[in-house]
């Protein structure tokens, strides 16, 4: 069985849903299809939740009404058959009924996850009604019945596998299944989610749970590009990546994949293909254990980084100093991305600033602490990239006018990371595109 995930823009218009329906029914091979919410829905749900949390009832009302109107229009264009239209309307009324009920109550923090879950619940139900009206045999699998996370918000593959396999074997053999991306249940049995963009992660977890033949991520671009297409002109798709390369690129900002979406596939050696819904014949990107020999694959950038420097003469010739520093980050559950040390100072970066202040307060006890905000990590990824003198020279030559705050080199063979002020991000990505891919030669 293959797992196919379609993102928000792929189902963002009724015509796109029609197109996805023809893509998944073009052959009879068994498929498990994971859908995101219709594009824009989750953002609006976030705004509705925020307005309710802040007691801004009128704003919440307006947002709910506008979204409801959007769905009414969507239904009209999605269905040709009156019976399907009627079923679609009652699904929409059910889910908006829930929003209205929550709106009428005193706000509770638990509302958030329930509100955010409505997008995927709606898209999958509306799509299933459409397929059934077309005479397609299909089963809707509720993700809330199998997608499970533990108390640390980590997915529990064994539970997902057991519950999902039971649901699949109870089915009468339609061979085509639809389920929701993004949403799950937590260890208390409450509705939760896999964080924004999490439908990719759902697809990969499902692929791992059922040992799928392949996981396909269908989106609005023809694969992983060599550089961020939102910022740089003249980028191109990379045909092959290893799991490690794809994981680094997604973690360091390539939005096409949720940062955690590679490890489940990698753990069970399930290939992942990135494909373009609007251009299904394009080759896309194939991600597997092997990689092609091209030394450089792609560049990604991650914003919102904070650099922290701790300077202390106590570090000189001392052991145990770094352990104490790391323990502070561990205590506040804050991952460190980059790290460099000298005999008297250590610099490191974080992107989760939730506990920045208590972290800084504790670090003051070890020495002088300096903080730089609005930093960006630029990550250059490719097989052996860090071992190739030609690439290293070209990379640094092409950005020689830019002040560099930190460099991480040699941590892995696949990656060179550079920390810069975010204001230099566009010129750095542009120059690396020219310097590393001779991009001006490509028309
Ligand atoms: P979906 O809604 O299908 O999940 P996303 O918007 O999450 O789609 O991801 C696709 C987008 O990722 C693309 O439209 C593109 O703008 C952005 N993106 C960022 N970096 C890259 C990259 N290196 N390669 C391809 N797309 C990228
Ligand atoms: N709908 C969710 C979001 O917008 C999950 C996803 O699209 O992957 O973040
Ligand atoms: Mg996405």
């Amino acid at each position: 069985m293959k797992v196919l995930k379609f993102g928000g823009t792929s189902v963002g218009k009724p015509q796109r849903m029609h197109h996805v329906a023809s893509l998944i029914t073009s052959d009879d091979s068994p498929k498990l299809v994971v859908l995101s919410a219709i594009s824009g829905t989750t953002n609006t749900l976030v705004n509705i939740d925020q307005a309710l949390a802040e007691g801004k009832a009128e704003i919440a009302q307006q947002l709910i009404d506008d979204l409801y109107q959007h769905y009414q229009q969507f239904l009209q264009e999605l269905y040709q058959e009156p019976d399907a239209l009627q079923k679609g309307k009652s699904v929409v009324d059910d889910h908006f009924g829930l929003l209205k009920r929550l709106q009428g109550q005193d706000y509770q923090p638990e509302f958030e996850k329930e509100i955010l879950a409505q997008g995927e619940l709606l898209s999958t139900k509306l799509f299933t009604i459409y397929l059934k009206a077309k005479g397609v045999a299909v089963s809707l699998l509720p993700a809330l019945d199998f997608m499970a996370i533990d108390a640390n918000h980590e997915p529990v593959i064994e539970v997902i596998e057991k519950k999902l396999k039971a649901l699949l074997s109870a089915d009468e053999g339609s061979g085509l299944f639809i389920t929701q991306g993004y949403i799950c249940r937590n260890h208390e049995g409450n509705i939760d989610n896999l964080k924004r963009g999490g439908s990719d992660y759902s697809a990969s977890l499902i692929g791992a749970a059922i040992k799928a033949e392949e996981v396909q991520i269908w989106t609005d671009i023809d694969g992983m590009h060599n550089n961020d297409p939102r910022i740089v002109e003249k980028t191109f798709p990379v045909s092959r990546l290893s799991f490690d390369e794809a994981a680094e690129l997604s973690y360091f900002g390539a939005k096409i994949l949720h940062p955690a979406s590679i490890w489940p596939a990698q753990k069970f050696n399930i290939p992942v293909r990135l494909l373009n819904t609007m251009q299904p014949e394009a080759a896309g990107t194939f991600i597997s254990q092997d990689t092609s020999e091209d030394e450089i694959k792609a560049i990604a950038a991650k914003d919102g980084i904070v650099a922290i420097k701790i300077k202390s003469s106590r570090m000189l010739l001392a052991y145990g100093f770094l352990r104490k520093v790391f323990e502070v980050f561990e205590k506040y559950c804050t991952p460190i991305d980059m790290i460099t040390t000298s005999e008297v100072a250590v610099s490191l970066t974080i992107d989760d600033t939730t506990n920045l202040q208590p972290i800084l307060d504790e670090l003051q006890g070890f020495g002088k602490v300096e903080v730089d905000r609005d930093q960006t990590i630029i990550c250059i990824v490719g097989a052996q990239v860090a071992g190739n003198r030609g690439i290293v020279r070209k990379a640094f030559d092409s950005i020689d006018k830019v002040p560099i705050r930190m460099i991480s080199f040699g941590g892995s063979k696949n990656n060179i990371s550079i920390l810069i002020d975010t204001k230099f991000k566009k010129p750095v990505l542009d120059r690396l595109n020219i310097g590393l891919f001779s991009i001006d030669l490509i028309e």
Side-chain angles (χ1 to χ4, degrees):
M1 172 127 59
K2 288 186 181 168
V3 177
L4 287 73
K5 175 258 171 176
F6 291 88
T9 41
S10 300
V11 292
K13 297 201 168 99
Q15 300 72 17
R16 297 236 164 106
M17 273 203 182
H18 298 163
H19 177 58
V20 171
S22 53
L23 270 175
I24 62 170
T25 52
S26 63
D27 64 48
D28 289 338
S29 63
K31 296 177 191 79
L32 203 162
V33 176
V34 179
L35 295 191
S36 291
I38 291 168
S39 55
T41 302
T42 311
N43 285 345
T44 307
L45 293 170
V46 169
N47 294 338
I48 291 170
D49 172 66
Q50 207 174 334
L52 291 176
E54 291 168 1
K56 295 178 177 158
E58 271 176 38
I59 295 181
Q61 183 67 53
Q62 191 62 53
L63 288 166
I64 295 174
D65 289 347
D66 291 351
L67 192 63
Y68 183 73
Q69 285 316 319
H70 180 72
Y71 274 83
Q72 292 303 319
Q73 186 63 38
F74 199 97
L75 295 175
Q76 294 297 335
E77 294 171 37
L78 181 62
Y79 302 118
Q80 286 82 45
E81 305 77 7
D83 185 43
L85 179 61
Q86 208 39 54
K87 286 186 178 136
K89 278 189 168 166
S90 81
V91 163
V92 169
D93 285 347
D94 269 1
H95 288 276
F96 279 82
L98 178 114
L99 292 178
K100 290 193 178 125
R101 269 201 309 287
L102 294 180
Q103 190 194 3
Q105 298 171 22
D106 284 341
Y107 184 81
Q108 307 292 325
E110 305 81 73
F111 289 3
E112 182 195 356
K113 303 285 169 59
E114 197 167 356
I115 292 172
L116 295 188
Q118 302 310 308
E120 273 70 12
L121 292 169
L122 276 163
S123 64
T124 48
K125 289 186 188 176
L126 298 180
F127 186 59
T128 305
I129 293 170
Y130 174 77
L131 287 172
K132 286 192 169 160
K134 291 270 155 225
V136 177
V138 55
S139 304
L140 181 62
L141 302 175
L144 296 178
D145 289 353
F146 66 85
M147 190 56 78
I149 55 171
D150 65 16
N152 297 318
H153 299 274
E154 294 296 334
V156 198
I157 294 201
E158 303 72 46
V159 175
I160 300 169
E161 178 177 346
K162 193 166 148 239
K163 294 190 168 181
L164 182 53
K165 283 189 173 160
L167 288 173
L168 289 170
S169 57
D171 191 83
E172 261 122 55
S174 66
L176 180 62
F177 300 92
I178 310 290
T179 193
Q180 297 86 18
Y182 179 57
I183 61 175
C184 60
R185 280 199 193 273
N186 61 26
H187 67 296
E188 290 174 322
N190 295 328
I191 297 181
D192 213 313
N193 62 57
L194 301 175
K195 307 228 169 76
R196 295 303 307 272
S199 298
D200 304 328
Y201 197 14
S202 303
S204 174
L205 288 164
I206 291 170
I210 63 168
K211 313 292 174 292
E213 193 186 321
E214 178 172 298
V215 173
Q216 300 181 349
I217 307 287
W218 289 81
T219 182
D220 58 359
I221 190 163
D222 53 349
M224 177 74 78
H225 276 221
N226 71 309
N227 203 331
D228 194 325
R230 296 166 297 180
I231 297 166
V232 175
E233 279 177 44
K234 293 189 187 168
T235 61
F236 56 85
V238 181
S239 58
R240 293 197 67 154
L241 288 172
S242 67
F243 288 124
D244 286 340
E245 290 167 343
E248 301 237 36
L249 287 167
S250 59
Y251 185 71
F252 286 108
K255 191 194 168 222
I256 187 169
L257 278 176
H258 180 282
S261 59
I262 288 298
W263 75 258
Q266 181 166 23
K267 187 166 177 191
F268 296 96
N269 195 18
I270 294 160
V272 178
R273 220 181 266 280
L274 309 181
L275 293 160
N276 188 350
T277 314
M278 314 338 154
Q279 209 189 324
E281 64 294 343
T285 300
F286 185 68
I287 303 166
S288 68
Q289 223 168 29
D290 314 310
T291 187
S292 58
E293 287 308 306
D294 312 20
E295 278 147 342
I296 171 139
K297 296 290 177 46
I299 305 164
K302 185 174 178 185
D303 295 334
I305 304 293
V306 173
I308 302 169
K309 185 202 267 179
I310 306 123
K311 207 170 165 197
S312 169
S313 51
R314 273 193 280 153
M315 197 176 157
L316 194 66
L317 298 174
Y319 53 85
F321 183 85
L322 286 177
R323 179 177 51 76
K324 286 187 212 139
V325 169
F326 290 151
E327 272 170 2
V328 175
F329 291 87
E330 192 182 341
K331 176 171 166 195
Y332 291 101
C333 302
T334 302
I336 296 168
D337 283 329
M338 285 176 76
I339 167 155
T340 57
T341 62
S342 76
E343 246 331 289
V344 288
V346 52
S347 276
L348 39 83
T349 70
I350 58 170
D351 74 336
D352 178 355
T353 54
T354 323
N355 293 310
L356 181 60
Q357 201 48 55
I359 289 174
L360 295 178
D361 292 344
E362 293 207 21
L363 293 176
Q364 311 280 2
F366 303 138
K368 189 163 168 268
V369 178
E370 285 169 27
V371 180
D372 288 321
R373 291 181 168 79
D374 298 325
Q375 304 288 301
T376 292
I377 296 176
I378 305 286
C379 179
I380 303 169
V381 169
Q384 313 295 332
V385 88
N388 185 306
R389 275 186 295 168
I391 291 177
V392 178
R393 184 176 45 73
K394 275 193 210 161
F396 287 100
D397 279 357
S398 51
I399 56 169
D400 65 348
K401 305 265 179 325
V402 178
I404 293 175
R405 171 74 177 72
M406 276 169 76
I407 299 170
S408 172
F409 180 86
S412 97
K413 284 182 297 187
N414 297 331
N415 163 330
I416 305 170
S417 299
I418 302 166
L419 187 72
I420 54 161
D421 193 304
T422 301
K423 67 180 180 232
F424 298 117
K425 171 173 143 178
K426 170 140 176 70
V428 164
L429 289 180
D430 281 340
R431 285 178 207 176
L432 288 173
N433 217 38
I434 297 166
L436 291 175
F437 296 99
S438 311
I439 218 71
D440 49 341
L441 303 176
I442 295 173
E443 272 313 315

